[in-house]
Amino acid sequence: MTPGLRLAAIAAAIATLPLATAEAQTLRMMTGPQGGVWVPIAGALKNIWEQNIPGVAIQTLPGAGVANVRGIDEGRAEIGFGNSITTVDGLNGAEPFPRKVTKVCNLGNLYPQYFQVVTLADANIRRIEDLRGKSIAIQPRGNTAEVVTRHILQAAGMQYSDVRANFQASYTDAVGLMKDGHAVAFTLGTTIPASSVMDLASARQIRFVDLTPYGEAMKKINAGYNLGPVPANTYPQQTEAVPQIVYSAHLIAACDQPEERIYRMVQLMFANLNALTPINRALQGLTPAAAAEDIGVPLHPGAARFYREQGARG
């Protein structure tokens, strides 16, 4: 059976499933910074799950890659988004996590994330080293992009004391600084094209820093870092492909969530991909096999059961 027919069969099967009664329960879902793609995807998943799983309500909360892993492990949320590199760091107890996390399971990979270093074209920033002494708009601690920013500086033989780090609560605020000229560079980790970068490009001439020279050093810091090109013309003014750092975005949940509930949540996500792909084109063509690919984070038993039924790893 082709992936398309298989997903159609999933949708048909869900339509005939008896809906078991359940006690009303609110599940807290940690998302990402305003201006990123996790917030609207979470809103769509909230609607899908609330409409199809009796007794379940979803409360969306702001978050970030590192903060979401800690939030679920510490019982402050039941579900959320994560990034493969920092979720694995959490399982290993590597910095910035104070200890190993033990209660976080994978629900499935979603799409590649791109760590992007965007600069104002007139600032003449060609290398990471050119940022020395300059103001950089960075996401708050607890955001995966903030961790990657520290790592890219480390790969260039630098640290925060070598730049003027300007921590911003959202991509929107970071872009505001760039538009006003109060920062010459902006780091973010999200899908492409990022709406925040599109917004910036509509107001200022921009340039991306080619991260190729730092690829080997980045992999020594975290084996999950890879170089991947942002294709030419992804953004206005960007006429050539430019290598940035790539990793995977995925859904995570508390491992003690009921197997049947997580099974239905994953099942419903695949049955309703057509509601998610307009939010993020990178989700187009997502298959159970790709979602179940091993990234070093254990699958939740409910998710594993779904993927086994689809002939994928589980």
Side-chain angles (χ1 to χ4, degrees):
M1 183 181 293
T2 67
L5 290 175
R6 181 174 289 129
L7 293 179
I10 294 170
I14 288 175
T16 61
L17 281 174
L19 297 180
T21 58
E23 292 184 10
Q25 182 175 359
T26 297
L27 302 181
R28 295 161 295 181
M29 183 177 188
M30 295 185 75
T31 63
Q34 289 295 329
V37 74
W38 286 354
V39 174
I41 293 177
L45 288 172
K46 168 184 167 71
N47 291 336
I48 291 165
W49 291 334
E50 287 182 341
Q51 291 170 11
N52 292 279
I53 305 177
V56 166
I58 306 295
Q59 178 188 8
T60 58
L61 303 170
V66 175
N68 295 357
V69 174
R70 291 193 61 177
I72 289 175
D73 191 63
E74 296 166 7
R76 292 181 281 108
E78 289 72 40
I79 190 168
F81 293 86
N83 291 304
S84 57
I85 48 173
T86 44
T87 306
V88 171
D89 279 342
L91 295 175
N92 292 333
E95 188 183 0
F97 293 88
R99 58 175 177 79
K100 291 183 178 182
V101 302
T102 60
K103 303 174 183 177
V104 176
C105 284
N106 189 19
L107 300 194
N109 308 315
L110 298 176
Y111 55 84
Q113 292 268 69
Y114 289 77
F115 172 76
Q116 302 160 68
V117 181
V118 190
T119 71
L120 298 179
D122 58 10
N124 199 30
I125 305 295
R126 303 286 181 174
R127 306 175 304 152
I128 296 298
E129 290 86 346
D130 294 334
L131 293 171
R132 194 178 297 271
K134 303 293 198 308
S135 178
I136 309 174
I138 303 168
Q139 300 308 292
R141 296 186 187 275
N143 183 297
T144 298
E146 182 273 325
V147 174
V148 187
T149 300
R150 280 192 282 122
H151 288 170
I152 200 71
L153 290 173
Q154 180 182 336
M158 298 165 61
Q159 53 190 339
Y160 277 152
S161 60
D162 294 310
V163 300
R164 288 186 286 137
N166 201 323
F167 297 98
Q168 295 298 308
S170 71
Y171 294 147
T172 305
D173 293 339
V175 167
L177 282 182
M178 294 281 283
K179 286 181 177 180
D180 295 338
H182 296 308
V184 300
F186 166 35
T187 61
L188 72 163
T190 186
T191 186
I192 56 173
S195 59
S196 53
V197 179
M198 296 292 283
D199 180 26
L200 176 60
S202 71
R204 298 292 299 265
Q205 293 289 313
I206 64 170
R207 177 182 293 137
F208 289 82
V209 177
D210 183 343
L211 301 184
T212 301
Y214 314 99
E216 184 176 340
M218 289 294 280
K219 283 195 78 68
K220 289 180 180 178
I221 295 171
N222 187 312
Y225 288 138
N226 292 292
L227 286 169
V230 174
N233 302 311
T234 297
Y235 296 107
Q237 314 161 28
Q238 183 228 335
T239 57
E240 297 181 355
V242 56
Q244 303 288 274
I245 297 296
V246 182
Y247 46 91
S248 294
H250 64 136
L251 275 178
I252 54 177
C255 297
D256 63 1
Q257 278 292 297
E259 178 179 331
E260 185 62 29
R261 175 184 294 155
I262 295 299
Y263 174 86
R264 290 296 305 280
M265 292 174 85
V266 176
Q267 186 183 51
L268 285 162
M269 180 180 73
F270 274 94
N272 292 275
L273 277 179
N274 61 339
L276 303 178
T277 51
I279 301 170
N280 183 357
R281 289 180 296 175
L283 285 164
Q284 191 167 10
L286 178 66
T287 65
E293 185 177 345
D294 185 6
I295 57 169
V297 182
L299 282 170
H300 189 286
R305 174 157 67 96
F306 170 80
Y307 294 127
R308 282 197 303 272
E309 289 180 359
Q310 303 308 309
R313 166 190 174 269

